[in-house]
Structures are given as structure tokens and as C-alpha cells.
Amino acid sequence: MYKVMLVDDDYPVLEFLSEMIDWHGLGLRLQSTHVNGMSALKEAEENMPDILITDIGMPKLNGIELTKKLKEKHPALLVTILSCHNEFGFAQQALKLNVQEYILKDMLDVNEIIQLLRKFVCTLNNEKKNKMNQLQMAQTIEQNKGLMLERFINKTVHYPIHSKKVWQDEAYLLGLQPNQRYMVILCLINQYQSVLHYFQSANLVNYFVQHVIAEVIENEAVNAVHGQFEKEKSFLFVSLSSKGDEKSLIIKSLIHKIQLVFQETFGLSFSFIMGNPAEKPVDIKLQMMDLIEFNVSKVCSNTEIENARKYILDNLHRKITLDEVANYLHLNSSYFSRLFKKEIGENFVKYVVKLKMNRAKDLLDQTNYTILEISDMLGYENQSYFNKTFKSFEGLAPIEYRNGKIGRDKTYGVKR
């Protein structure tokens, strides 16, 4: 039932309205009656009514002031003003406060009040119904958001980004802001098969992980979006609006908090692989692909080689030498060369060229960068040498590869 508060310093009016109206029959409960505005305000601070019927001229706090204070706390409050005053000024003040009715006491008719209350009940019922519909819609959107984000991430990884605007519009609906730099992070559930066996459902694991990480992000007040990718893998996108050092600490703190919550509360272990900052859709995509490739192609447990591979991926945009990476790892060059070939199965130079050529194919497929721009982006000093290397690796010159891709897209009806 909806609550009604009566306020009037004329006690006979309070008694008349209290006794002559069948409150229960109208679906209402007479919460309280008051002979001054201050008393009404004090109770409303603890127990706000849904409907206020108040006189204007009262001691301590008049009806206009009471209405104003209650409206500040509860803007949807329905109000009827009772008054002996037929002055335009009072009515004008009432209108400014969005008061529903202004009734003169000398024209007071109980049937009119009953009809007004019925209208109020109808209004409140409609508001309640709208709120329920909005809540149900919000719940549906929230439940579907995880699935929509998972589909978006998979589409970003596996399919070309033909339109930057379309990608940004979809990303925006899922919480990723356009023209915003993000740190792309791959999240991994350790011992996934054991976790899956415990939950007995991949969907339940995904929902659980998404819910817990979203809660940590909210508690830490970090601008970040987390979405499932596949099986044990998910992605975390952290906004980089703060200064570099400050943001690095925030990201490390967030990752540590997520690991701590899962480990201490649920006994689950998480690992994180951090990529590089990216802003453009295609750069975000390439970061995601690099992180997936880095994780999938781990063939050894050697920390030095894993660190070397991560260093190579992070510096694929420039010329990388074996000596440079060995120095980075504080290893002898000859030893590092032998160790790398033993663990990876191919020599350092061939491995780096393969990664660069795979990146070149991604850029030729996914972007409109010129061949020269792509050559520069991969650290080649001249386009001629890049063309020769690409043809040796792929069997086609870069322009032939791109033209062939366009032809295949047209054959299969893919829009560019």
C-alpha cells in the first residue's frame, strides 16, 4: 500500500479527512497526521510518504517550505496543497514545485479528494510498473552484456575490422570508449580443467569469473572492461587516461586484487599477460592477437625464452637483433642462440621474420595502410627489402597478396 501524510494546523480538517476517506479501500495507508510542517518533516526524514496532503499556512514550517524540502529528498512525491488563500502568488509557488493539485478549503469536497487519490494511486501504479519494466530490462541487458562482449571479442580477433566507426559504435555499447587508449591484458584461469570439473559448466565458469572481476573493477573504481574470449581466456581492457607511472601502479594493483580475491575466496589461480597500449581498433585487435599467439605458442617452461618471445612481440615494430634480446635477458649471445633454437625449434632470425610476416599479413588484410607504411611499421629500412622478404615467405608480393584478399572478399560477398 502507498503511504499518505496529512499536515494541517486545523485539527477538524485532519479529523474530517482521516475519518471520511476509506484509505484501505483506495489501496492507501494513512501513515500519519501532523499539525505543523516541522513535525511532518522530521518524520518524513525517517519514513518518506508517497503522497503529501498539506495546508499552506502553518506554524514553524509552512506547506510550501515543507513541500520544497520533501521534494528535494523525493522528487517523485505527489502533493496536494490545501489552502484558505486564493492568491496567485501561492498557486505560482506550488506550480514551481510541481505540485499536482491546489485546492481551496472553502470548496473542499471529500469526493473530489477521493477522486484525486484514485488518480494518485493510478499514477503510482504506473510508475511502479515502469520501474519494474526498467529493472527487468536492465537485468536482461546485464545478463546479455557478458555474452555480447564475448561475441564482440571473438569477432574482433577472428574477423577483419572493415569499418572503424561500426567497431567503435559496438564497442561503446559494451563500455569501451572511442578514441581512448587501453592497456590490453590477457587473463588466464590456471588449471582450467579442474575448475571446469568443479563448476560442471563452461557457461557457469564464465559467468562467475565475469561477475567477480566486474565487482573488483567497481570496488577499485578503475575504468576497465572485462570480457570472456574462449575457455580459460578472457580479456581486460584498462583505460589509460592517467599518467604512465600512476596508471602502471593502478593496473598492477587491480591485477593483484583480482588474483587475491580468486585465490583467497575461491581457491582459484589466475595469470595475466600484459600487452601494449592501443587506441585504434586495428591496434587493439593486433594486441589481442599477439597475446593469444604468445600464450598458445608457449612450448616450454623456460622463463628466459618466454620473456624473449614477449620482448620480440612488444618490439615487432622495429629491427630486433639476437644480441639485443640476449643483453635484455642478461645472457651470453651464443648460449641464448642455442637455447632459443632448442626450445622454439627454429633459429632466432627465422622466428622473428615469421612473426613480422604474419603481422604484415594482418595489416594487409585488416587495414588500408600502404605497403610502404607497413614496411616502416615492421622496422624495415626500405620497402624493396620488405617486399623481397614477404615474397620469399608467402610466395606473393605484398600488393599481390592484398589484391588477392580483396578478390576473395568480393567472391564471398564480404563488404570492405
Side-chain angles (χ1 to χ4, degrees):
M1 287 190 171
Y2 301 114
K3 298 175 292 183
V4 181
M5 181 181 283
L6 293 179
V7 190
D8 199 315
D9 63 340
D10 187 349
Y11 187 77
V13 173
L14 289 179
E15 188 176 33
F16 173 74
L17 293 176
S18 299
E19 295 179 0
M20 294 301 294
I21 295 175
D22 180 8
W23 301 99
H24 188 272
L26 292 171
L28 298 168
R29 177 170 66 85
L30 183 57
Q31 171 182 320
S32 58
T33 60
H34 302 269
V35 294
N36 66 74
M38 190 60 71
S39 170
L41 176 62
K42 186 175 180 179
E43 179 176 328
E45 288 175 345
E46 299 293 330
N47 186 15
M48 181 66 67
D50 300 296
I51 299 170
L52 172 68
I53 300 177
T54 181
D55 185 20
I56 284 187
M58 297 182 295
K60 299 184 180 180
L61 191 71
N62 67 44
I64 295 295
E65 292 168 337
L66 172 64
T67 299
K68 182 178 180 181
K69 289 182 180 296
L70 295 192
K71 282 276 190 177
E72 288 173 355
K73 298 176 182 293
H74 182 32
L77 178 69
L78 299 177
V79 181
T80 292
I81 295 286
L82 302 177
S83 179
C84 297
H85 304 278
N86 192 17
E87 296 180 5
F88 177 72
F90 286 107
Q92 190 178 42
Q93 290 180 64
L95 288 172
K96 285 182 180 179
L97 292 172
N98 195 26
V99 168
Q100 279 67 35
E101 290 291 337
Y102 185 91
I103 298 174
L104 294 175
K105 283 185 178 180
D106 57 4
M107 300 176 63
L108 187 62
D109 181 349
V110 69
N111 291 321
E112 181 184 357
I113 299 293
I114 291 172
Q115 290 300 318
L116 176 62
L117 290 171
R118 285 186 177 136
K119 186 170 73 171
F120 280 179
V121 169
C122 184
T123 298
L124 290 167
N125 284 338
N126 288 335
E127 288 179 358
K128 186 176 181 180
K129 183 178 178 180
N130 289 337
K131 286 179 181 178
M132 287 298 296
N133 289 339
Q134 289 172 3
L135 180 61
Q136 290 173 354
M137 186 178 297
Q139 289 176 334
T140 301
I141 290 172
E142 193 61 34
Q143 289 171 354
N144 290 337
K145 187 176 179 180
L147 182 58
M148 291 166 62
L149 194 51
E150 181 179 351
R151 289 174 178 169
F152 174 75
I153 288 173
N154 274 271
K155 187 168 66 173
T156 298
V157 170
H158 295 302
Y159 295 94
I161 299 175
H162 295 303
S163 168
K164 175 182 175 181
K165 185 178 185 308
V166 170
W167 188 94
Q168 287 181 326
D169 288 346
E170 189 172 354
Y172 178 74
L173 293 175
L174 299 170
L176 292 169
Q177 301 297 319
N179 303 315
Q180 173 66 53
R181 290 175 75 244
Y182 285 94
M183 178 65 76
V184 184
I185 303 168
L186 180 64
C187 315
L188 300 163
I189 304 174
N190 299 327
Q191 299 179 323
Y192 177 72
Q193 289 304 320
S194 298
V195 176
L196 184 61
H197 178 73
Y198 176 79
F199 282 91
Q200 299 184 341
S201 166
N203 288 335
L204 190 56
V205 174
N206 295 346
Y207 174 79
F208 168 72
V209 169
Q210 181 71 22
H211 178 75
V212 173
I213 293 181
E215 191 171 290
V216 174
I217 290 171
E218 183 177 356
N219 290 340
E220 295 297 300
V222 177
N223 185 3
V225 174
H226 173 262
Q228 177 65 23
F229 174 51
E230 58 183 24
K231 295 184 179 178
E232 77 279 12
K233 304 180 194 70
S234 58
F235 278 99
L236 184 63
F237 306 90
V238 184
S239 170
L240 296 175
S241 53
S242 304
K243 293 180 180 179
D245 292 342
E246 177 186 347
K247 201 62 192 182
S248 178
L249 291 174
I250 291 173
I251 293 172
K252 288 178 181 178
S253 174
L254 175 64
I255 288 174
H256 176 69
K257 185 67 175 180
I258 293 172
Q259 288 176 320
L260 205 61
V261 168
F262 277 105
Q263 183 64 54
E264 293 187 350
T265 309
F266 308 105
L268 301 182
S269 174
F270 261 76
S271 296
F272 295 86
I273 305 175
M274 195 175 300
N276 289 323
E279 178 177 334
K280 296 178 181 178
V282 68
D283 293 333
I284 292 175
K285 172 188 174 71
L286 292 174
Q287 279 299 307
M288 294 166 71
M289 293 174 67
D290 279 351
L291 290 170
I292 293 166
E293 182 179 351
F294 175 77
N295 178 66
V296 169
S297 61
K298 283 194 294 186
V299 294
C300 67
S301 59
N302 189 294
T303 303
E304 284 88 359
I305 298 304
E306 286 196 14
N307 289 338
R309 291 181 56 253
K310 182 67 167 64
Y311 183 86
I312 293 166
L313 282 171
D314 288 347
N315 293 277
L316 214 56
H317 60 283
R318 61 184 186 81
K319 185 177 180 180
I320 312 168
T321 66
L322 184 143
D323 287 343
E324 174 189 343
V325 181
N327 288 335
Y328 170 76
L329 299 171
H330 306 291
L331 296 175
N332 175 273
S333 296
S334 298
Y335 170 75
F336 170 65
S337 178
R338 292 194 302 272
L339 180 63
F340 191 91
K341 186 170 183 179
K342 176 185 175 183
E343 298 290 350
I344 299 299
E346 57 188 349
N347 67 44
F348 177 85
V349 173
K350 186 175 180 180
Y351 178 80
V352 172
V353 170
K354 181 179 73 175
L355 291 186
K356 285 181 178 284
M357 294 304 102
N358 285 335
R359 170 61 61 83
K361 289 195 293 183
D362 288 335
L363 293 169
L364 289 166
D365 285 344
Q366 310 289 344
T367 74
N368 294 320
Y369 292 129
T370 66
I371 308 299
L372 178 59
E373 287 173 329
I374 293 174
S375 173
D376 290 339
M377 291 167 70
L378 293 172
Y380 286 92
E381 294 178 355
N382 63 73
Q383 182 181 339
S384 176
Y385 184 64
F386 168 72
N387 289 345
K388 181 179 178 181
T389 304
F390 187 92
K391 187 169 184 177
S392 175
F393 180 84
E394 189 65 23
L396 294 171
I399 189 64
E400 293 173 327
Y401 177 86
R402 171 170 276 176
N403 289 340
K405 177 65 169 60
I406 294 172
R408 292 192 296 276
D409 284 349
K410 288 181 178 178
T411 299
Y412 291 105
V414 178
K415 295 180 179 179
R416 290 187 66 81

